Amino acid sequence: MGKDTKDLNTQDTPALENRRRFLGRSALLGLAGAGVSMGLAGCKEEAKPAAAGTAAAPAPAHAASSHEVAPGQLDEYYHFSSGGHSGEVRIIGIPSGRELRRIPVFNIDPMVGWGITNESKAIIGTNPDGSLKYNTGDTHHVHGSYKDGTYDGRWLFVNDKIHSRIARIRMDTMEVDKITELPNVMGFHGIFPDKRDPVDEKINYTTRVFCGAEFHCPLPNDGRDLDDPSKWGALFSCVDAETMEVRWQVRVDGNMDLTATSYDGKLVASNQYNTENSAELGGMMASEHDACVFLNVERIEKLVKEGKFTTIGKSKVPVVDGRKAANSDPKTAVTCYVPVGKNPHGVNASPDGKYFVCAGKLSPTSTVIELALVHKWFAGELAKERDAVVAEVELGLGPLHTGFDGKGNAYTSLFLDSQVVKWNIEKAIAFAKGDKTAKYVVDRLDVNYQPGHGFASMGETKEADGKYFNSGNKFSKDRFLPVGPLHPETEQLIDISGEKMKLIADHTAYPEPHDGIIVRRDVVKTRKIYNMDDFPNKVTAETSGIERKGNKVHVRMLSMAPAFSLPIIRVKKGDEVTLTLTNHDKIEDLTHGCAIPNYNINFIVNPQETKSVTFKADKPGAFWLYCTHFCHALHLEMRSRFLVEA
Ligand code: RUQ
Ligand code: CUA
Ligand code: CA
């Protein structure tokens, strides 16, 4: 990572300088005669790249200590974190812990206008009357798209457990561009992109995203079988990464929890804590063993191709039968139920591509499953599913999730013991084979407190680099100043570069992050500004104006610091108003806002971006439409009169 430090400095500092200069110089232009034409002139000039040598003084190449990030210095990694029932995704710098950005996904965000603009509403989904279908969500797991077994920086995918939706985030803009609701699924929890195609070698990148469903429900859920949970079922879904349409589903016994994919693209697995298929807490803990279910992607897709599927209710998505009874012959089975410890949680793929590790939760063990043996079972060459287990070793109380350092070690969170335990996978296998001298536990570290997910830098790729491990703790208790009955949670950063783990920072987190990934910064390539032509409804100087068709009024406006193109917008009470705003500024980060008092309108437009809102002008009066996003010395003056005639 040291190697690109210089690049980033020379790339980013002039941009910063560019905006700083713009703010200074355009203030003068604006004062000389605020107006869009003046703004345009200023903009053209500023669009030129900054001359060399104008950059601010370079910051020192290395911070004081390996994990401190000095002021002005940039982090080595991006941490993309789910936001739990806040419904969002967050971007945090690692190792500094700086919160860089929040990405609204299933929540409403007035800052960007997510859930307020027509464009975001269309992505989230609307009722026939145009109102939002849902305005809340619960994000647990965020994962990046892959190429060649590592992140390609193209997309992030995240689940909504409440409404069983999957969202895709474009990593060039860090905005959601698609959301899909899974049919006949409740409690969509685990999510994981595939890493390559199971058959076509040329497709060595993500084309599918797999989705586990934690709750069973009536199929279809239309009022039938309310009092007979034995008839309820759970579906595992495959979503097309490109179109975001649901390709197929598999009906399984038990409930799916978390999800992991193999590096060869052939296997995807989900842990199950309720193989009992019970609707009661006691029943879910009845059996001594639950399962890690492996799905054979190639075989499922063959059945779909051959038309060997059913559909459920109104959904057209093909559903293949993956229940045990229909899959007793390994040679044709699409599923393999590998028994693991009681009520497991978490399944994670080791970066060498050889193992999946399932954490025991109610069992103090971690189970190591060798994928080559699962393949053998599907070939009819392994006697029992359980024979794919090569180790089931004791780690401590409440094991939940496992990260990897790429050096053969695993790091498992222990919820009840409030610890992270570092253990060696090959030694655990040797121990399980009978070598009782094999000391597989390498180190233990107390964390504060009750860790859920833990994940390492690049740890879910074949480029796992063993530098940092993030422990996502569910309780911070006494670690921070009290801020009322609700406390922040902690993300504790652990240096895992040595033999012993070292706790290096406590970072607060707004409730409630679950899973995350830590991505090397050179993987992420964001845009500086938008491309105006990507917006079919863009407003130009020629189209700016007010168009009336009956009582439908279309206001087309552009913004250019420090003015909107229409100083007066006049409509009549009862009109349906659509306001479309294009930001013609071209300077990176020169964003404008648009708020209309008493009308509940608030959104931003980034440079070269277009957004629109539609609302009923039902309150007569004069309302100052104003810019909310500090953009210019004349930011406060940047406003238009929105006049509604009685
Ligand atoms: S789960 S604390 Cu939603 Cu990721 Cu395990
Ligand atoms: Cu435009 Cu503030
Ligand atoms: Ca169970």
Side-chain angles (χ1 to χ4, degrees), residues 182-246:
L182 306 175
N184 297 306
V185 164
M186 194 171 292
F188 158 34
H189 193 191
I191 179 172
F192 221 101
D194 72 353
K195 299 180 180 105
R196 57 175 312 124
D197 190 84
V199 185
D200 187 344
E201 283 198 354
K202 288 193 292 300
I203 305 175
N204 64 341
Y205 50 88
T206 294
T207 56
R208 301 168 184 78
V209 190
F210 298 108
C211 311
E214 192 180 331
F215 306 148
H216 52 316
C217 64
L219 298 172
N221 197 5
D222 57 1
R224 73 185 69 193
D225 302 333
L226 295 190
D227 297 312
D228 190 359
S230 72
K231 289 201 177 129
W232 300 2
L235 302 177
F236 183 90
S237 309
C238 171
V239 172
D240 189 294
E242 189 81 41
T243 65
M244 288 288 282
E245 268 157 33
V246 186

Side-chain angles (χ1 to χ4, degrees), residues 140-141 189 258 345 400-401 452-453 474 514-515:
H140 283 224
H141 305 110
H189 193 191
L258 281 99
H345 188 70
L400 291 185
H401 295 282
H453 276 276
K474 301 295 184 191
H514 288 245
D515 201 2

Side-chain angles (χ1 to χ4, degrees), residues 395-418:
L395 295 177
L397 296 183
L400 291 185
H401 295 282
T402 302
F404 303 91
D405 62 7
K407 296 174 231 162
N409 300 305
Y411 300 75
T412 299
S413 59
L414 301 176
F415 180 80
L416 297 174
D417 278 343
S418 277

Side-chain angles (χ1 to χ4, degrees), residues 324-340:
K324 274 184 216 161
N327 291 274
S328 51
D329 178 4
K331 285 193 170 156
T332 55
V334 296
T335 48
C336 169
Y337 292 74
V338 177
V340 300

Side-chain angles (χ1 to χ4, degrees), residues 559-564 585 590-593 626-632 634-636 638:
S559 60
M560 172 78 67
F564 294 112
D585 276 307
L590 212 136
T591 294
H592 298 288
Y626 73 96
C627 178
T628 49
H629 207 94
F630 213 106
C631 54
H632 190 280
L634 290 170
H635 157 73
L636 294 164
M638 185 168 175

Side-chain angles (χ1 to χ4, degrees), residues 24-39 41-42 561-562 632-634 637:
R25 204 182 292 175
S26 62
L28 294 175
L29 284 171
L31 284 169
V36 168
S37 54
M38 282 308 275
H632 190 280
L634 290 170
E637 288 82 349

Side-chain angles (χ1 to χ4, degrees), residues 37-315:
S37 54
M38 282 308 275
L40 262 174
C43 207
K44 264 184 202 136
E45 186 191 338
E46 292 305 321
K48 280 184 237 149
T54 57
H62 284 286
S65 100
S66 65
H67 61 269
E68 266 170 40
V69 184
Q73 286 287 289
L74 304 178
D75 278 295
E76 290 172 78
Y77 297 89
Y78 289 89
H79 168 190
F80 298 99
S81 171
S82 64
H85 45 297
S86 74
E88 63 187 17
V89 164
R90 297 157 191 170
I91 313 178
I92 297 151
I94 294 287
S96 76
R98 296 166 183 159
E99 185 180 277
L100 305 174
R101 188 158 170 195
R102 294 178 160 198
I103 307 173
V105 183
F106 303 110
N107 55 325
I108 309 298
D109 184 351
M111 196 284 280
V112 298
W114 191 253
I116 296 167
T117 62
N118 293 329
E119 294 73 22
S120 61
K121 280 181 171 171
I123 292 169
I124 300 168
T126 53
N127 294 310
D129 70 354
S131 61
L132 281 179
K133 190 167 175 197
Y134 305 117
N135 50 29
T136 188
D138 185 15
T139 60
H140 283 224
H141 305 110
V142 53
H143 289 289
S145 54
Y146 286 80
K147 186 170 186 180
D148 267 334
T150 191
Y151 299 126
D152 64 1
R154 194 166 181 211
W155 290 315
L156 297 168
F157 299 94
V158 65
N159 74 308
D160 166 21
K161 183 169 169 180
I162 301 178
H163 301 304
S164 291
R165 290 176 294 171
I166 169 174
R168 183 174 74 189
I169 296 166
R170 288 170 56 151
M171 288 179 78
D172 63 341
T173 59
M174 297 298 174
E175 286 171 348
V176 172
D177 73 343
K178 291 247 188 215
I179 292 179
T180 299
E181 188 173 342
L182 306 175
N184 297 306
V185 164
M186 194 171 292
F188 158 34
H189 193 191
I191 179 172
F192 221 101
D194 72 353
K195 299 180 180 105
R196 57 175 312 124
D197 190 84
V199 185
D200 187 344
E201 283 198 354
K202 288 193 292 300
I203 305 175
N204 64 341
Y205 50 88
T206 294
T207 56
R208 301 168 184 78
V209 190
F210 298 108
C211 311
E214 192 180 331
F215 306 148
H216 52 316
C217 64
L219 298 172
N221 197 5
D222 57 1
R224 73 185 69 193
D225 302 333
L226 295 190
D227 297 312
D228 190 359
S230 72
K231 289 201 177 129
W232 300 2
L235 302 177
F236 183 90
S237 309
C238 171
V239 172
D240 189 294
E242 189 81 41
T243 65
M244 288 288 282
E245 268 157 33
V246 186
R247 281 198 192 175
W248 46 258
Q249 295 179 306
V250 177
R251 170 117 190 230
V252 291
D253 285 320
N255 304 161
M256 306 301 232
D257 195 8
L258 281 99
T259 302
T261 59
S262 67
Y263 282 83
D264 65 8
K266 294 181 192 297
L267 297 171
V268 52
S270 234
N271 68 292
Q272 298 197 314
Y273 61 81
N274 186 21
T275 48
E276 298 89 342
N277 267 322
S278 175
E280 321 287 340
L281 182 74
M284 294 182 199
M285 297 190 295
S287 159
E288 268 320 299
H289 274 107
D290 280 294
C292 182
V293 184
F294 285 82
L295 293 94
N296 187 314
V297 179
E298 184 182 350
R299 286 191 191 166
I300 293 164
E301 298 193 343
K302 195 161 164 274
L303 290 183
V304 171
K305 228 184 190 162
E306 291 166 354
K308 293 179 180 148
F309 59 80
T310 54
T311 57
I312 297 172
K314 290 195 201 99
S315 165

